[in-house]
Amino acid sequence: MKTQIDIITGFLDSGKTTYINGLIKESKYLKEKIVIIQCENGEIEIDKHDSNIYVTKCSNEESINDKLLMEVIKNQSPDRIIIEYNGTWNIQLLLDSLDYSILRKHCLLDKIIHVIDVNTFEIFINNMGAMFTQQISQSDTIVLNKTDKFSHEKLEGIKKSLKTLNKSAKIFKCVKTKESNNKLVCESFNRLTDFPKTKFDKLFLAFTMFIIGYVVFSLIKGEVLDLSNLDLSRYQAFSTVFISILMQAFPFILIGVFISAIFQVLVPEELIFKVFPKNPFLAFFVSIIAGVFFPICDCAIIPIAGKLVKKGVPIYCAVTFLLAAPIVDPVVIASTLYAFPGNPRIAIYRVIIGITVAVSVGIITLIFGQRDNVLLDKINNKWCGCEACNVKNIKNKSVFNKIYLIFNHAGSEFLMVGRFLIVGAFLSVLAQTYLPHGILERISSEGLGSIMIMMGAAFFLSICSTSDAFIARSFTNHFPMSSVMGFMVMGAMIDIKNVFLLLGTFKKRFVIELLITILALSFSIITIFTLLLF
């Protein structure tokens, strides 16, 4: 069995040793042979209450490396190594050492815990800069120590600051009491009151309550209320179409988020970078088909495109990959085939038109694109907030932790895209059911105008590309196929949600130019294909 490694970080006098003394007395650790590597000397000593606990010292940053860890593993054969890491040292050096293949054969990084003395938090975060924030951003768990004299409001302020540095870390607040024999007593500081935390969350919460009321009304209307004199034909049509869209779309969303999560957790980003050859023409071709082999979710595809540019991949290749990936995603193709049974041409046309738009935008970016750096100084690659998007050094995690991260990421993405599907399906079916048919006929007869309207609807509804085909199909009774195709192509490539993601990775001017280019080319190419195909 591989040796588990825990890293406990924090500045001197933050309470790391006290925390470790409490840790090794927990039932999980009592049966283990533990080696503790101390990288600094505090006032409190390690409590060697058991003969299975060994302590070794490490005096400088360079000496704690793969050689030292292999020596400990060979000589002591421990079940677990706990590293009490110096708060002023660069933790990335230690993580790089753990990344060596020889160490990965013998050990696994279990968790990184950062201990903070809340009394000195503001001083350190304002004056220590990256030295302080780096260890926080790498941690799985953050322990707020000496919280007994701090008000709840002050602790909430500290938690808010920590969440900006590390969205996924679990936060605990701890105090040391005589009743606990000077052991840290900790409780979770991850409250459910974090939701709703944005205006969109509040709106979605209100919308959810409305949907619950709608479902309850549907169940009791025949049993409790006498509605025989009311014309409920539109209501029944709305219910039938709305529920059928959700029932057909949710399985594809579920499949899509799990495939995306598996790739996000198990496939390292470096492999994606290596796929793109240095030859610009070959890289351009690879950018078109890469989405078939890397079906990655929206919350990751844009930061990865930004990192591709940072790694030296031409911007036009990154843009082509960004736009083509959602179109050639196998799950998206399968959902389109299922949404339009007996008419595979729709899925084929969607892929052809989508690739044409992606390639065209890539060529325009090559010819007229900005020659200077289009990336922000600090790329936001942690938009979705799930643990898989925030946890670093995933390959050093155990199999159990990787499975946990897969489900965590899939759950986070399912909730994110699911809400857009529910809102989008509700609004689209509501419009089709309750708007007077004369208005719909007038809009659909506009020709090119109806294409623009459907493209605009796709942009603002922000429905996931794995499920938008089902909503698009519901429009086929009122809109020509060219407009429906505009909805499916535009929505898969760019929507209002993705614009915010782009603004967290690329400079504003580039995002605006890209958005205008996508809109113009999508409309032009769909119009041309309309004349040829529909």
Side-chain angles (χ1 to χ4, degrees):
M1 183 177 290
K2 293 184 178 182
T3 299
Q4 303 288 310
I5 294 182
D6 294 337
I7 302 174
I8 315 296
T9 71
F11 281 99
L12 188 67
D13 201 34
S14 61
K16 297 193 298 292
T17 307
T18 304
Y19 183 82
I20 292 173
N21 283 337
L23 202 64
I24 58 181
K25 291 178 182 177
E26 293 182 2
S27 57
K28 175 183 175 181
Y29 294 84
L30 288 175
K31 298 178 182 180
E32 294 182 335
K33 183 178 181 180
I34 299 174
V35 173
I36 300 173
I37 301 177
Q38 282 192 297
C39 300
E40 59 185 1
N41 295 317
E43 296 179 359
I44 299 176
E45 297 291 330
I46 293 293
D47 181 10
K48 294 185 281 189
H49 62 279
D50 195 301
S51 59
N52 283 333
I53 296 175
Y54 302 86
V55 179
T56 183
K57 303 287 184 179
C58 180
S59 58
N60 59 74
E61 194 172 3
E62 290 74 22
S63 61
I64 183 164
N65 51 32
D66 55 311
K67 294 180 181 178
L68 172 64
L69 295 172
M70 278 305 304
E71 183 181 335
V72 169
I73 292 171
K74 287 181 178 180
N75 295 339
Q76 304 286 349
S77 299
D79 298 304
R80 184 177 300 273
I81 297 175
I82 299 177
I83 302 174
E84 185 179 346
Y85 203 65
N86 191 310
T88 62
W89 293 356
N90 184 356
I91 193 173
Q92 191 60 48
L93 297 177
L94 175 58
L95 296 177
D96 290 342
S97 296
L98 293 173
D99 200 26
Y100 286 122
S101 57
I102 187 171
L103 265 181
R104 292 208 304 269
K105 293 179 181 177
H106 297 88
C107 65
L108 281 172
L109 178 60
D110 190 15
K111 51 184 171 285
I112 303 175
I113 301 170
H114 187 79
V115 183
I116 296 174
D117 180 351
V118 294
N119 297 289
T120 58
F121 174 77
E122 287 191 14
I123 297 173
F124 285 148
I125 200 168
N126 291 329
N127 297 282
M128 303 303 290
M131 185 185 296
F132 185 57
T133 59
Q134 182 199 43
Q135 295 190 6
I136 293 174
S137 64
Q138 298 276 13
S139 301
D140 305 305
T141 302
I142 299 173
V143 175
L144 301 179
N145 192 17
K146 305 176 185 177
T147 61
D148 50 322
K149 296 181 180 179
F150 265 62
S151 65
H152 180 76
E153 289 74 18
K154 286 185 177 180
L155 291 176
E156 283 288 347
I158 293 176
K159 185 179 80 167
K160 187 176 180 180
S161 298
L162 293 172
K163 284 297 184 181
T164 61
L165 299 171
N166 189 331
K167 293 182 181 179
S168 66
K170 298 175 183 177
I171 301 177
F172 293 85
K173 56 180 182 179
C174 304
V175 293
K176 184 168 66 174
T177 62
K178 292 182 180 179
E179 291 79 7
S180 61
N181 296 319
N182 291 324
K183 175 185 174 182
L184 288 183
V185 177
C186 301
E187 62 176 281
S188 175
F189 200 41
N190 303 280
R191 302 298 186 191
L192 292 177
T193 52
D194 285 349
F195 182 86
K197 57 186 177 182
T198 67
K199 290 182 179 180
F200 182 82
D201 287 336
K202 293 175 182 178
L203 287 173
F204 183 72
L205 184 61
F207 179 78
T208 302
M209 298 302 295
F210 173 77
I211 291 295
I212 292 173
Y214 162 78
V215 173
V216 171
F217 174 75
S218 300
L219 294 174
I220 68 171
K221 63 179 174 59
E223 302 293 334
V224 179
L225 303 173
D226 181 15
L227 303 175
S228 57
N229 295 324
L230 296 178
D231 180 10
L232 297 178
S233 58
R234 290 192 178 186
Y235 169 80
Q236 291 169 347
F238 173 88
S239 301
T240 302
V241 178
F242 178 62
I243 293 173
S244 65
I245 288 176
L246 297 186
M247 290 181 66
Q248 293 178 76
F250 270 127
F252 284 95
I253 288 183
L254 200 58
I255 294 170
V257 298
F258 265 105
I259 292 176
S260 171
I262 290 169
F263 270 84
Q264 185 117 348
V265 173
L266 300 183
V267 178
E269 289 180 349
E270 291 77 11
L271 178 60
I272 301 176
F273 301 149
K274 290 178 182 178
V275 166
F276 286 82
K278 293 183 179 180
N279 185 299
F281 296 103
L282 290 177
F284 193 64
F285 174 74
V286 169
S287 63
I288 299 171
I289 63 171
V292 176
F293 306 101
F294 299 107
I296 305 168
C297 69
D298 284 346
C299 72
I301 194 74
I302 292 175
I304 286 177
K307 291 177 182 178
L308 286 172
V309 176
K310 201 170 184 178
K311 289 280 185 178
V313 174
I315 181 63
Y316 59 88
C317 292
V319 167
T320 305
F321 169 66
L322 176 69
L323 301 179
I327 292 290
V328 300
D329 185 329
V331 179
V332 174
I333 296 173
S335 68
T336 309
L337 288 169
Y338 188 83
F340 295 90
N343 198 354
R345 291 180 302 168
I346 302 300
I348 296 171
Y349 291 160
R350 184 184 190 183
V351 172
I352 293 173
I353 296 173
I355 290 176
T356 304
V357 173
V359 171
S360 301
V361 174
I363 293 173
I364 293 296
T365 306
L366 169 63
I367 299 173
F368 301 104
Q370 299 180 37
R371 295 291 180 257
D372 55 346
N373 183 25
V374 298
L375 295 174
L376 294 175
D377 295 331
K378 185 178 180 181
I379 296 176
N380 176 19
N381 56 4
K382 297 182 178 181
W383 185 84
C384 87
C386 72
E387 291 199 34
C389 287
N390 287 276
V391 174
K392 297 186 179 181
N393 299 281
I394 290 179
K395 55 188 171 185
N396 289 323
K397 297 292 184 181
S398 65
V399 174
F400 176 79
N401 282 336
K402 287 178 180 177
I403 293 173
Y404 168 77
L405 288 172
I406 288 172
F407 277 90
N408 184 281
H409 179 88
S412 297
E413 190 186 351
F414 183 80
L415 290 174
M416 182 182 72
V417 301
R419 65 175 75 176
F420 284 103
L421 171 66
I422 293 172
V423 173
F426 182 86
L427 293 177
S428 61
V429 177
L430 187 69
Q432 295 175 66
T433 307
Y434 287 99
L435 275 181
H437 288 288
I439 295 178
L440 289 175
E441 289 176 3
R442 198 176 307 124
I443 294 173
S444 61
S445 64
E446 289 293 329
L448 298 180
S450 68
I451 296 177
M452 295 181 65
I453 290 171
M454 290 296 286
M455 288 174 61
F459 180 79
F460 287 104
L461 291 177
S462 299
I463 303 164
C464 177
S465 56
T466 57
S467 57
D468 61 357
F470 296 97
I471 293 178
R473 186 190 63 191
S474 70
F475 283 107
T476 55
N477 293 328
H478 305 285
F479 287 85
M481 186 52 67
S482 57
S483 302
V484 174
M485 190 61 65
F487 181 90
M488 291 193 290
V489 172
M490 181 68 184
M493 290 188 171
I494 191 75
D495 54 41
I496 196 167
K497 168 172 57 69
N498 286 348
V499 169
F500 287 110
L501 283 168
L502 286 167
L503 289 171
T505 305
F506 297 94
K507 292 180 179 178
K508 186 183 294 185
R509 178 186 169 188
F510 174 78
V511 175
I512 294 172
E513 291 177 353
L514 180 63
L515 179 59
I516 294 172
T517 304
I518 294 171
L519 289 171
L521 287 177
S522 296
F523 178 75
S524 302
I525 291 170
I526 290 170
T527 302
I528 293 171
F529 271 89
T530 297
L531 298 174
L532 297 175
L533 301 175
F534 302 114

